[in-house]
Amino acid sequence: MDVILLGGSNSVVKNGLRIGLENKDITLHNYALGLSTSLQNLYELIRHENTINKSDFLISESNINDYLSPMSLNIILRNIDYFYEELYKANKITIVLILPIPACNDKSKAINEAHRKNCAHYGFNLIDVDLYYQKNNLYDFDQNYKFHPMPLAMQELGKNIIKNLHSFKKSKENIICSKRKYHIFAPSNLTKIEHKNSFFCEKTAKIKANEKIIFPKEFKNYQILGIHTWNHANLSTHAISSISIENSSFKLVKNFGLINTFQDIQNEKAICDEQTFLYVNTQIIKQSEESSGLSIANEKTPRLDYVDLIGILFLENDNNKKIECKNYLTNAYELLIPPIAFYKELALEYHELKKT
Protein backbone atom coordinates (compact mmCIF):
# COMPACT_ATOMS: atom_id res chain seq x y z
CA MET A 1 0.00 0.00 0.00
CA ASP A 2 1.42 3.39 -1.03
CA VAL A 3 1.06 6.44 1.23
CA ILE A 4 2.15 9.96 0.28
CA LEU A 5 3.29 12.35 3.02
CA LEU A 6 3.33 16.10 2.37
CA GLY A 7 4.46 18.61 4.97
CA GLY A 8 7.25 20.49 6.67
CA SER A 9 9.88 19.61 9.25
CA ASN A 10 7.28 17.91 11.46
CA SER A 11 7.15 15.21 8.77
CA VAL A 12 10.95 14.96 8.69
CA VAL A 13 11.98 15.34 12.34
CA LYS A 14 13.68 12.40 14.04
CA ASN A 15 11.36 10.16 16.12
CA GLY A 16 8.32 12.06 14.90
CA LEU A 17 5.34 11.54 12.60
CA ARG A 18 7.11 9.80 9.73
CA ILE A 19 8.53 7.11 12.03
CA GLY A 20 5.01 6.28 13.15
CA LEU A 21 3.82 6.09 9.56
CA GLU A 22 6.56 3.67 8.53
CA ASN A 23 5.22 0.13 8.53
CA LYS A 24 6.14 -3.18 6.88
CA ASP A 25 2.88 -3.13 4.94
CA ILE A 26 3.29 0.50 3.82
CA THR A 27 5.44 2.14 1.16
CA LEU A 28 5.81 5.70 2.44
CA HIS A 29 6.74 8.39 -0.10
CA ASN A 30 7.83 11.36 1.99
CA TYR A 31 7.89 14.61 0.00
CA ALA A 32 8.03 16.89 3.04
CA LEU A 33 10.53 19.74 3.28
CA GLY A 34 11.35 21.93 6.26
CA LEU A 35 10.60 25.68 6.25
CA SER A 36 8.10 25.24 3.43
CA THR A 37 4.43 26.11 3.14
CA SER A 38 1.32 24.65 1.54
CA LEU A 39 2.70 25.85 -1.78
CA GLN A 40 5.58 23.37 -1.57
CA ASN A 41 3.01 20.63 -0.93
CA LEU A 42 1.27 21.71 -4.14
CA TYR A 43 4.62 21.74 -5.99
CA GLU A 44 5.25 18.14 -4.90
CA LEU A 45 1.79 17.11 -6.11
CA ILE A 46 2.75 18.39 -9.56
CA ARG A 47 6.33 17.10 -9.50
CA HIS A 48 5.44 13.57 -8.38
CA GLU A 49 2.14 13.23 -10.22
CA ASN A 50 2.91 9.74 -11.55
CA THR A 51 3.77 8.30 -8.13
CA ILE A 52 0.77 10.01 -6.54
CA ASN A 53 -1.58 8.60 -9.20
CA LYS A 54 -0.51 5.09 -8.14
CA SER A 55 -0.86 5.78 -4.40
CA ASP A 56 -3.72 4.92 -2.06
CA PHE A 57 -3.63 7.65 0.61
CA LEU A 58 -2.42 11.25 0.95
CA ILE A 59 -1.43 12.68 4.35
CA SER A 60 -0.75 16.40 4.66
CA GLU A 61 0.37 18.85 7.36
CA SER A 62 1.48 22.41 6.66
CA ASN A 63 -0.33 24.84 8.95
CA ILE A 64 2.68 25.44 11.24
CA ASN A 65 4.95 26.26 8.31
CA ASP A 66 2.26 28.46 6.80
CA TYR A 67 2.27 30.39 10.08
CA LEU A 68 6.07 30.74 10.07
CA SER A 69 6.18 32.05 6.50
CA PRO A 70 7.32 35.67 6.08
CA MET A 71 4.85 36.13 3.20
CA SER A 72 1.84 38.41 3.64
CA LEU A 73 -1.20 36.69 5.13
CA ASN A 74 -3.22 37.21 1.94
CA ILE A 75 -0.62 35.31 -0.11
CA ILE A 76 -0.45 32.51 2.49
CA LEU A 77 -4.24 32.10 2.50
CA ARG A 78 -4.35 32.22 -1.30
CA ASN A 79 -1.73 29.46 -1.55
CA ILE A 80 -3.60 27.31 0.98
CA ASP A 81 -6.67 27.47 -1.27
CA TYR A 82 -4.54 26.68 -4.34
CA PHE A 83 -3.06 23.64 -2.60
CA TYR A 84 -6.32 22.14 -1.38
CA GLU A 85 -7.95 22.35 -4.78
CA GLU A 86 -5.00 20.47 -6.31
CA LEU A 87 -5.11 17.99 -3.43
CA TYR A 88 -8.76 17.33 -4.25
CA LYS A 89 -7.94 16.80 -7.93
CA ALA A 90 -5.51 14.03 -6.93
CA ASN A 91 -8.64 12.00 -6.08
CA LYS A 92 -7.14 10.02 -3.19
CA ILE A 93 -8.33 9.29 0.34
CA THR A 94 -6.87 12.34 2.05
CA ILE A 95 -5.98 12.88 5.72
CA VAL A 96 -5.13 16.38 6.91
CA LEU A 97 -3.42 17.15 10.22
CA ILE A 98 -3.79 20.57 11.79
CA LEU A 99 -0.92 20.70 14.26
CA PRO A 100 -0.79 23.04 17.29
CA ILE A 101 0.64 26.48 16.63
CA PRO A 102 2.14 27.75 19.93
CA ALA A 103 0.75 31.24 19.39
CA CYS A 104 -2.77 32.54 19.61
CA ASN A 105 -3.16 35.54 17.35
CA ASP A 106 -5.07 36.68 14.30
CA LYS A 107 -2.56 35.11 11.90
CA SER A 108 -2.63 31.64 13.50
CA LYS A 109 -6.43 31.71 13.71
CA ALA A 110 -6.82 32.75 10.06
CA ILE A 111 -4.44 30.04 8.83
CA ASN A 112 -6.03 27.24 10.85
CA GLU A 113 -9.51 28.34 9.79
CA ALA A 114 -8.39 28.30 6.15
CA HIS A 115 -7.29 24.67 6.56
CA ARG A 116 -10.52 23.72 8.34
CA LYS A 117 -12.63 25.50 5.72
CA ASN A 118 -10.93 23.65 2.86
CA CYS A 119 -11.21 20.28 4.61
CA ALA A 120 -14.93 20.87 5.04
CA HIS A 121 -15.37 22.04 1.46
CA TYR A 122 -13.66 19.03 -0.12
CA GLY A 123 -14.63 16.43 2.46
CA PHE A 124 -11.12 15.55 3.61
CA ASN A 125 -10.50 13.54 6.76
CA LEU A 126 -9.38 16.00 9.44
CA ILE A 127 -7.32 15.27 12.55
CA ASP A 128 -7.34 18.59 14.39
CA VAL A 129 -4.54 18.36 16.96
CA ASP A 130 -4.68 22.13 17.44
CA LEU A 131 -8.30 21.89 18.57
CA TYR A 132 -7.34 19.07 20.97
CA TYR A 133 -4.67 21.37 22.44
CA GLN A 134 -7.23 24.14 22.87
CA LYS A 135 -9.70 21.89 24.69
CA ASN A 136 -7.05 20.47 27.01
CA ASN A 137 -5.02 23.64 27.72
CA LEU A 138 -1.81 22.12 26.37
CA TYR A 139 -0.10 25.11 24.82
CA ASP A 140 1.93 26.01 27.91
CA PHE A 141 3.00 22.38 28.29
CA ASP A 142 4.12 22.29 24.67
CA GLN A 143 6.12 25.53 24.74
CA ASN A 144 9.43 23.71 25.16
CA TYR A 145 8.87 21.93 21.86
CA LYS A 146 8.26 25.25 20.08
CA PHE A 147 6.98 24.44 16.58
CA HIS A 148 7.65 20.70 16.73
CA PRO A 149 4.91 19.29 18.98
CA MET A 150 6.09 16.38 21.15
CA PRO A 151 7.76 14.10 18.52
CA LEU A 152 6.99 10.86 20.38
CA ALA A 153 3.30 11.81 20.56
CA MET A 154 3.35 12.60 16.84
CA GLN A 155 4.97 9.22 16.26
CA GLU A 156 2.08 7.56 18.11
CA LEU A 157 -0.36 9.56 16.03
CA GLY A 158 1.34 8.23 12.89
CA LYS A 159 0.99 4.66 14.15
CA ASN A 160 -2.69 5.22 14.93
CA ILE A 161 -3.30 6.61 11.44
CA ILE A 162 -1.75 3.54 9.81
CA LYS A 163 -3.73 1.16 12.05
CA ASN A 164 -6.96 2.90 11.07
CA LEU A 165 -6.49 3.57 7.37
CA HIS A 166 -9.60 1.51 6.66
CA SER A 167 -11.75 3.98 8.60
CA PHE A 168 -10.95 7.08 6.51
CA LYS A 169 -13.52 8.20 3.98
CA LYS A 170 -13.32 9.30 0.37
CA SER A 171 -13.60 12.98 -0.45
CA LYS A 172 -16.77 14.61 -1.74
CA GLU A 173 -17.66 13.97 -5.36
CA ASN A 174 -18.22 16.32 -8.30
CA ILE A 175 -16.94 19.54 -6.75
CA ILE A 176 -16.47 22.15 -9.49
CA CYS A 177 -12.84 23.26 -9.70
CA SER A 178 -11.12 26.21 -11.31
CA LYS A 179 -9.20 26.09 -14.60
CA ARG A 180 -5.86 26.63 -12.89
CA LYS A 181 -2.90 24.64 -14.19
CA TYR A 182 0.60 24.45 -12.76
CA HIS A 183 3.90 23.97 -14.54
CA ILE A 184 7.45 23.34 -13.34
CA PHE A 185 10.41 24.72 -15.27
CA ALA A 186 14.05 23.68 -15.00
CA PRO A 187 16.64 24.62 -17.64
CA SER A 188 17.12 21.61 -19.92
CA ASN A 189 20.30 22.86 -21.57
CA LEU A 190 22.39 22.79 -18.38
CA THR A 191 24.18 19.79 -16.91
CA LYS A 192 22.34 18.27 -13.97
CA ILE A 193 24.28 17.68 -10.76
CA GLU A 194 22.94 15.35 -8.07
CA HIS A 195 22.86 16.65 -4.50
CA LYS A 196 22.24 14.04 -1.85
CA ASN A 197 22.17 13.54 1.92
CA SER A 198 20.61 11.00 4.27
CA PHE A 199 17.11 12.29 3.54
CA PHE A 200 17.02 14.14 0.21
CA CYS A 201 18.22 13.44 -3.32
CA GLU A 202 17.72 16.11 -5.98
CA LYS A 203 19.06 16.91 -9.45
CA THR A 204 20.11 20.54 -9.70
CA ALA A 205 21.17 22.81 -12.55
CA LYS A 206 24.07 25.10 -11.66
CA ILE A 207 23.43 28.60 -13.03
CA LYS A 208 26.61 30.69 -12.93
CA ALA A 209 26.87 34.43 -12.56
CA ASN A 210 27.75 35.00 -16.22
CA GLU A 211 24.71 33.09 -17.49
CA LYS A 212 21.26 34.37 -18.34
CA ILE A 213 18.37 31.90 -18.36
CA ILE A 214 15.53 33.01 -20.63
CA PHE A 215 12.20 31.42 -19.80
CA PRO A 216 10.45 29.57 -22.65
CA LYS A 217 8.00 31.70 -24.67
CA GLU A 218 5.16 29.29 -23.89
CA PHE A 219 5.30 30.59 -20.30
CA LYS A 220 4.03 33.98 -21.43
CA ASN A 221 1.34 35.26 -19.01
CA TYR A 222 2.21 32.57 -16.45
CA GLN A 223 2.73 33.75 -12.86
CA ILE A 224 5.84 32.74 -10.90
CA LEU A 225 4.72 31.20 -7.60
CA GLY A 226 7.80 29.59 -6.07
CA ILE A 227 11.44 28.59 -6.56
CA HIS A 228 13.19 25.40 -5.39
CA THR A 229 16.98 25.45 -4.86
CA TRP A 230 19.67 23.52 -3.04
CA ASN A 231 23.00 25.35 -3.02
CA HIS A 232 26.11 23.35 -2.24
CA ALA A 233 29.17 25.24 -1.05
CA ASN A 234 32.46 24.46 0.70
CA LEU A 235 31.65 26.97 3.41
CA SER A 236 31.05 26.51 7.09
CA THR A 237 29.56 29.98 7.37
CA HIS A 238 26.23 31.40 6.28
CA ALA A 239 26.15 32.30 2.58
CA ILE A 240 23.49 33.19 0.05
CA SER A 241 22.75 33.13 -3.63
CA SER A 242 20.96 36.23 -4.82
CA ILE A 243 18.96 35.83 -8.02
CA SER A 244 17.04 38.30 -10.12
CA ILE A 245 14.11 37.51 -12.39
CA GLU A 246 12.97 40.35 -14.57
CA ASN A 247 11.28 41.58 -17.72
CA SER A 248 9.83 44.88 -18.92
CA SER A 249 7.13 44.83 -16.23
CA PHE A 250 8.82 43.69 -13.01
CA LYS A 251 12.09 42.85 -11.29
CA LEU A 252 12.25 40.31 -8.47
CA VAL A 253 15.34 39.85 -6.26
CA LYS A 254 15.30 36.85 -3.94
CA ASN A 255 17.90 35.26 -1.64
CA PHE A 256 18.51 31.53 -1.15
CA GLY A 257 20.65 29.82 1.47
CA LEU A 258 22.65 26.60 1.58
CA ILE A 259 19.85 24.17 2.40
CA ASN A 260 17.30 22.35 0.27
CA THR A 261 14.58 24.99 0.21
CA PHE A 262 11.39 25.96 -1.60
CA GLN A 263 10.67 29.68 -1.39
CA ASP A 264 7.25 31.19 -2.11
CA ILE A 265 7.11 34.31 -4.27
CA GLN A 266 5.02 37.16 -2.92
CA ASN A 267 5.12 39.52 -5.91
CA GLU A 268 1.81 39.01 -7.71
CA LYS A 269 3.13 41.04 -10.65
CA ALA A 270 5.79 38.39 -11.36
CA ILE A 271 4.12 37.41 -14.63
CA CYS A 272 6.18 36.31 -17.62
CA ASP A 273 6.31 37.96 -21.00
CA GLU A 274 8.29 36.74 -24.03
CA GLN A 275 11.57 38.05 -22.63
CA THR A 276 11.60 37.07 -18.95
CA PHE A 277 14.99 35.97 -17.70
CA LEU A 278 16.86 34.86 -14.58
CA TYR A 279 20.44 35.60 -13.52
CA VAL A 280 22.64 35.45 -10.42
CA ASN A 281 23.65 38.65 -8.60
CA THR A 282 27.22 38.86 -7.34
CA GLN A 283 26.90 42.50 -6.31
CA ILE A 284 25.13 43.55 -3.13
CA ILE A 285 21.53 44.09 -4.20
CA LYS A 286 18.68 44.51 -1.74
CA GLN A 287 16.17 41.67 -1.91
CA SER A 288 12.62 42.44 -2.99
CA GLU A 289 11.06 40.19 -0.37
CA GLU A 290 12.07 38.07 2.58
CA SER A 291 12.88 34.36 2.33
CA SER A 292 11.84 31.67 4.83
CA GLY A 293 14.58 30.58 7.21
CA LEU A 294 17.04 33.27 6.12
CA SER A 295 18.11 36.12 8.30
CA ILE A 296 18.34 39.42 6.48
CA ALA A 297 21.59 39.56 4.50
CA ASN A 298 23.94 42.50 4.86
CA GLU A 299 27.10 43.69 3.09
CA LYS A 300 29.21 41.17 5.05
CA THR A 301 27.16 38.13 4.03
CA PRO A 302 29.17 35.94 1.59
CA ARG A 303 27.52 35.74 -1.83
CA LEU A 304 27.84 32.73 -4.10
CA ASP A 305 28.47 33.31 -7.79
CA TYR A 306 25.95 30.62 -8.73
CA VAL A 307 22.63 29.09 -7.75
CA ASP A 308 21.80 25.37 -7.79
CA LEU A 309 18.29 25.41 -9.20
CA ILE A 310 15.88 22.47 -8.98
CA GLY A 311 12.66 23.96 -10.33
CA ILE A 312 10.39 26.99 -10.65
CA LEU A 313 6.64 26.68 -10.13
CA PHE A 314 4.33 28.58 -12.50
CA LEU A 315 0.59 29.18 -12.44
CA GLU A 316 -1.55 29.32 -15.57
CA ASN A 317 -5.14 30.64 -15.56
CA ASP A 318 -5.84 32.03 -12.12
CA ASN A 319 -9.56 32.78 -12.20
CA ASN A 320 -9.72 33.80 -8.52
CA LYS A 321 -12.15 31.08 -7.46
CA LYS A 322 -12.97 31.58 -3.77
CA ILE A 323 -13.87 28.89 -1.25
CA GLU A 324 -16.95 29.58 0.83
CA CYS A 325 -17.83 27.05 3.52
CA LYS A 326 -19.23 27.90 6.94
CA ASN A 327 -20.14 24.41 8.16
CA TYR A 328 -16.80 23.08 9.32
CA LEU A 329 -16.14 19.42 9.93
CA THR A 330 -16.24 18.14 13.46
CA ASN A 331 -12.99 16.60 14.64
CA ALA A 332 -14.21 13.08 13.87
CA TYR A 333 -10.80 11.47 14.36
CA GLU A 334 -9.83 12.91 17.75
CA LEU A 335 -9.62 9.37 19.16
CA LEU A 336 -6.51 8.82 17.01
CA ILE A 337 -4.67 11.59 18.85
CA PRO A 338 -2.51 10.12 21.63
CA PRO A 339 -3.48 11.09 25.23
CA ILE A 340 -1.17 14.11 25.33
CA ALA A 341 -3.22 15.59 28.17
CA PHE A 342 -2.37 12.47 30.20
CA TYR A 343 1.29 12.80 29.20
CA LYS A 344 1.17 16.33 30.61
CA GLU A 345 -0.16 15.10 33.97
CA LEU A 346 2.56 12.44 34.14
CA ALA A 347 5.26 15.03 33.37
CA LEU A 348 3.92 17.44 36.00
CA GLU A 349 3.71 14.69 38.60
CA TYR A 350 7.30 13.63 37.86
CA HIS A 351 8.40 17.28 38.11
CA GLU A 352 6.77 17.60 41.54
CA LEU A 353 8.39 14.37 42.75
CA LYS A 354 11.82 15.63 41.66
CA LYS A 355 11.32 18.76 43.78
CA THR A 356 10.72 16.79 47.02
Side-chain angles (χ1 to χ4, degrees):
M1 193 179 299
D2 285 61
V3 175
I4 306 293
L5 178 59
L6 305 170
S9 55
N10 277 291
S11 293
V12 179
V13 67
K14 183 180 178 182
N15 294 328
L17 180 67
R18 69 178 174 91
I19 301 299
L21 295 172
E22 291 173 353
N23 182 287
K24 62 181 177 63
D25 299 320
I26 297 293
T27 301
L28 182 67
H29 304 274
N30 191 349
Y31 300 136
L33 184 62
L35 295 171
S36 61
T37 67
S38 291
L39 191 65
Q40 184 264 341
N41 290 9
L42 186 158
Y43 169 76
E44 301 300 344
L45 286 174
I46 307 302
R47 198 160 68 123
H48 298 287
E49 182 180 7
N50 291 336
T51 304
I52 288 167
N53 284 341
K54 298 171 188 172
S55 70
D56 303 287
F57 295 88
L58 277 164
I59 300 171
S60 172
E61 58 85 10
S62 65
N63 67 306
I64 288 180
N65 281 15
D66 290 328
Y67 176 77
L68 293 173
S69 170
M71 297 296 101
S72 74
L73 182 58
N74 285 341
I75 297 295
I76 296 168
L77 297 179
R78 180 203 70 183
N79 289 348
I80 290 171
D81 286 350
Y82 284 177
F83 165 59
Y84 275 102
E85 183 180 60
E86 209 60 27
L87 194 59
Y88 176 74
K89 289 179 185 176
N91 195 28
K92 302 296 174 184
I93 296 176
T94 300
I95 304 153
V96 175
L97 312 181
I98 296 182
L99 299 180
I101 298 175
C104 187
N105 53 43
D106 290 343
K107 182 179 180 180
S108 65
K109 290 174 183 176
I111 286 169
N112 284 347
E113 286 306 296
H115 284 276
R116 292 181 181 116
K117 171 191 70 178
N118 276 282
C119 286
H121 180 72
Y122 295 110
F124 295 149
N125 300 283
L126 174 61
I127 302 176
D128 198 333
V129 187
D130 185 77
L131 187 60
Y132 175 88
Y133 269 56
Q134 285 182 45
K135 286 161 52 175
N136 291 281
N137 299 312
L138 291 170
Y139 289 112
D140 289 342
F141 171 66
D142 206 56
Q143 282 296 327
N144 290 333
Y145 296 98
K146 299 190 183 297
F147 293 98
H148 293 125
M150 189 184 285
L152 286 174
M154 294 301 101
Q155 185 181 139
E156 285 302 306
L157 175 58
K159 291 177 183 177
N160 291 342
I161 289 171
I162 296 301
K163 288 175 189 173
N164 291 276
L165 284 176
H166 62 277
S167 68
F168 294 107
K169 298 167 184 163
K170 292 183 178 179
S171 306
K172 293 178 181 177
E173 295 182 354
N174 303 320
I175 292 179
I176 297 172
C177 293
S178 72
K179 295 181 180 178
R180 295 188 194 106
K181 293 181 182 177
Y182 300 91
H183 306 270
I184 296 173
F185 168 69
S188 57
N189 59 332
L190 296 178
T191 303
K192 292 290 193 297
I193 304 167
E194 187 175 87
H195 292 344
K196 192 173 185 179
N197 63 19
S198 60
F199 199 85
F200 300 109
C201 181
E202 297 285 359
K203 290 183 178 178
T204 70
K206 188 176 292 294
I207 301 171
K208 298 176 182 176
N210 58 353
E211 294 174 315
K212 181 187 286 188
I213 303 299
I214 299 174
F215 294 168
K217 286 184 170 58
E218 58 263 32
F219 284 0
K220 183 180 179 183
N221 297 324
Y222 288 14
Q223 183 179 348
I224 304 168
L225 289 185
I227 302 174
H228 187 190
T229 66
W230 189 359
N231 294 320
H232 270 207
N234 295 319
L235 294 169
S236 58
T237 59
H238 170 63
I240 60 167
S241 286
S242 170
I243 69 168
S244 288
I245 302 176
E246 63 180 270
N247 60 24
S248 59
S249 301
F250 78 92
K251 180 175 181 178
L252 171 72
V253 181
K254 191 88 171 176
N255 293 340
F256 297 83
L258 298 180
I259 63 171
N260 184 3
T261 181
F262 182 93
Q263 297 288 354
D264 300 7
I265 299 301
Q266 177 158 307
N267 187 349
E268 294 184 274
K269 295 180 181 178
I271 296 173
C272 295
D273 61 13
E274 292 180 343
Q275 284 294 318
T276 304
F277 55 93
L278 177 153
Y279 59 93
V280 175
N281 301 306
T282 54
Q283 303 302 313
I284 298 171
I285 299 175
K286 185 179 179 181
Q287 64 182 357
S288 307
E289 57 189 50
E290 199 174 338
S291 296
S292 292
L294 273 186
S295 56
I296 297 173
N298 56 42
E299 62 276 2
K300 295 181 180 179
T301 305
R303 280 166 167 76
L304 305 176
D305 60 356
Y306 61 87
V307 65
D308 291 331
L309 178 68
I310 298 169
I312 301 176
L313 179 67
F314 290 89
L315 166 65
E316 176 188 4
N317 293 330
D318 182 9
N319 58 2
N320 292 316
K321 175 176 170 286
K322 300 293 183 184
I323 301 296
E324 296 294 339
C325 188
K326 295 180 180 177
N327 297 314
Y328 295 158
L329 288 175
T330 56
N331 188 17
Y333 297 94
E334 184 174 309
L335 288 175
L336 299 186
I337 300 172
I340 304 172
F342 177 63
Y343 299 167
K344 172 186 174 182
E345 295 305 314
L346 282 178
L348 292 176
E349 182 177 297
Y350 176 75
H351 181 68
E352 288 302 314
L353 285 171
K354 289 286 286 183
K355 291 197 306 188
T356 59

